[in-house]
Amino acid sequence: MSSDAADQPEDSRTDRQRLLAAVIETIVPADASPSAVEAGGLDFLGALLDGERRDWRPRVEGVLAAVTAHAPGFVELDPAARLAVLDGLADDGDYRWFARLVQRGYFADPGNLGNRDRASWQDLGWRPEPASGWPDLDQVFELDRSALVRHHELRERYDAVVVGSGAGGGVAAAALAEAGRRVLVIERGDLPDRAYLAADHLRNARTPVELDDRTGPGADEVRTFELGEALITLRATDGRWGNNAMTVGGGTRVYGAQAWRFSPEDFRMASRYGVPEGSALSDWPIDYDELEPYYSRAEWEIGVSGDATGDSAHGPRSRDYPMPPLAGTRASSVLAAGAARLGLQTSAVPLLISSTPWLGRPACARCAQCIGFACPIEAKNGSHNTMLPRAVATGLTSILTSARAERLIPDASGRIVALAVVGEVDGRIWRAVVHAEEFVVAAGAVETARLLLNSPTAREPHGVGNNADQVGRHLQGHLYAGATGIFEEPVNDLLGPGPAIATNDFRHGNPGLVGGGMLANEFVTTPVLDHGYLDGAGLLPLHGAAMKDAMRHLAPRMQRVVGPVQEMTSAASRVRLDPGVVDRFGIPVARLSGAVHPEDLRLTEFLTDRAGEWLTASGAVRVIRSAPRTADAGPSGGQHQAGTARMGDDPASSVTDRVGRIWGHENVRVADGSLHVTNGGVNPVLTIFANAMRVMDDMTGARADRVRS
C-alpha cells in the first residue's frame, strides 16, 4: 500500500508497511488457512486506498496510530500479545470498521486481491460455479450491440422515446417497435459485459461496504435527504440514497428475480383496511382481474418457473407457469418440515429464472452467486434478454446509453414534443434535443419523478403532471422483516439461486394489522455476505483465529427467512428537486424526505416474529431477529421503489389515469413502478412487467390475450 505522503522517508514507509502487515495478520491470522497477508491483504488495501477510496486513508492512518499508542513495539510482539492489544481497541469504532474491511477483503472474490488462490473460499468449502461445472453451451445470448448509438448518431426525430430500459422500459420499447414505431431508448447506464457484472463480490448492491456498485451511479452522484431540520448529502453507497441498478436492462439484469403476483386484496387495500391516520392508503383504479391476463403474458413471454398449487395468496389464474419450479434444496427441506409443524402452507418461490431451456436460453445451472450478479449463461430472464431483443429485432429500435433525460420540452400549446438529453464523453459534456410524437417514462420511481419535476411548462410551472402537487409523493418500497437461524448441522448446499420455499399465509388477515407480507428463505450467499450477516447478528468474534473458526462453523449452518412488508403510502414520503444542489450536468438532484408509517414498523415486527417461529420449528438452535429500522432511515425505496406517479381516476389525487397517461398529456405515459398505488407484500417486478404490458396495449391498440410462446 502506498504511503499517505509521497515524500515520507523510505525507512518510515517500510516501518509503516510492517506495522500494517502485523495488524492485518493479527485480524486474520494464519491457521489451517493462510493469513490476510498471505492471501494478499496488503494488495487489497493498497488498491482500494490508492484508488476509489483514497478518502479512507486518514481513517486507516488513525487506526495505525491508535495501535502504536497502545503498543509502540506492536510489530515485535508475539501473536498472543498482538491480539491482546487489538482486544483493547474493540470499542474503537474506527478499528472495528477497519477489522471488518480487512476481513471482507479476505472473504471477497480473488479479483479484489485479498483472497489469492481462493484461500478463504477453499477453507469454507465455498465455490461460485455449479458443483458439476458450467454447462457446455454452443453460445450464450448477447444483445445486438449494433442497436447502440452514440449521441452524434441521434436522429432529430423518432416516433417514440422511452426513458429507461428496465422492466417497464423494455416492455414499452418492444410494444412500440413491434407496432411499427421508430423508437429511441435512453438508458442512464451502459451495457457492460457479463463478466464485469458476474464476479465482484464487493461492488455488488447486496454488499454494504461503501464501494460503488458496478451497476450503480458513481461516487460523484449525490441526492439530498431532509432529516428534521437537517439537510444531509447522500453518497450513492448510502442505503438511504435509494439506489437501483443503472444499466441496459435496469435492475432486471442483476435482480434476484422473484416473480410474485400481487393478490386481489393488494389492489383494494383502502377498501379492505380503511385509511390509517397519517397515511394516504388508496385503492388501485384497476383490480386483479384486469391485470391477470397480463400477469400470464409476463410469465410466458419473459419466462417464470413456479408451481401455483401451493400458493395461498394469488387470485384465479388463466394459465399455469410455463416452467416447473427449480428443484428444492437442503434448506427448503428443513424449512418445509418446520412449516408442517406450524401448520403453514408453503409453495415454491416463482422465479424469472429458467428451470428448463426457454426462448433460446438455457436452464439455470444452480451456481452459488445470483442476486446482484449478471447470469453467466443468461438463464435469468430480464428486460435485457427478452423485451429489448424483441425491440431490436424489428430494426426500428436504437438504444442510447450513458445518457440521461434532462427535461421534457413542450410546444406553445403545452404539448410535449421533445426531450432534452445530456451525457459525457471523455470528460466533455454534450447535449441534444430529440423530437418525438410519443414519450414513455420508465426511469424508476425516483428518477421518473425527478424528470417530470424538472420539466416545467407554462401551464404546469412545477413540472409535467404536477399541478395537483402529486408528482414525487407516495414514495414507497419495502421494509424487510426476517430472522437468521443457526442449525446444529449444515443446511446450506450452495444450490442457487436459493429461495426455494415460501409462505403467503401472512399476506393478509393478520389480526390488528394492515396488510402483511410473504416470507421465504434467503438467496444463496457469498462468503463476504455470510461474514456481513453473521457479524451483524453479533455471532462473530471481532478478529483473530476465533473469527475464522466461527465462520467455518456458522456459515454452512446459517439460514435466513425474510420477506417484504406491504407499506402504507404517505404523501409526506416524497421526491422533490433540491433547489441548491445540482449534478455535474447542472440538473437539480433529487431531494428525499419523509419516513415510513408506524403501521409498517408494527407489521415488520409481526413478520419478524413469524420468521423466527418458522426457523425455531425447523430446528434452529439459535434465532437472531433482524435489526429494527433506525429513526434516521428516511423514506423507503431502493430496489423496490414505487409510487411517485401513481395512477388513478381523479387528477386531484393521482399523476396518471388508469392506463399510465399523465393527466393533460395524451402522448406521455409512465410505465414503471411509479404507477403503483400500493406495492404489495412481495417483490413487485412481475407487476411492473404486467402493468407495463397493459399500459402499452392501450397505447398501441393491442390485445391482452396476445401471448408469444
Side-chain angles (χ1 to χ4, degrees), residues 72 106 224 241 250 256 315 495 512 528 539 541 570 578 586 604 612 632 639-640 677:
Y106 182 75
T224 58
W241 198 91
L495 276 180
V528 72
L539 298 178
S570 167
D578 193 295
T604 302
D632 63 349
Q639 60 187 337
H640 291 178
V677 179

Side-chain angles (χ1 to χ4, degrees), residues 103-105 107-108 121 201-202 207 209 526-533:
Q103 290 160 7
R104 288 174 185 176
F107 291 115
W121 291 0
H201 287 201
L202 294 181
T207 311
V209 293
T526 61
V528 72
L529 267 179
D530 286 338
H531 180 273
Y533 288 141

Side-chain angles (χ1 to χ4, degrees), residues 16-38:
R16 180 191 170 286
Q17 198 77 344
R18 290 178 61 214
L19 173 61
L20 179 63
V23 171
I24 71 172
E25 193 160 47
T26 307
I27 291 171
V28 183
D31 53 8
S33 63
S35 70
V37 170
E38 293 167 336

Side-chain angles (χ1 to χ4, degrees), residues 224-234 238-242 479 592-596 601 628-636:
T224 58
F225 165 49
E226 293 180 5
L227 179 62
E229 298 298 317
L231 183 65
I232 301 171
T233 298
L234 302 176
D238 190 312
R240 297 171 295 181
W241 198 91
L479 302 187
L592 309 177
S593 59
V596 298
L601 300 177
R629 188 175 179 84
T630 59
D632 63 349
S636 190

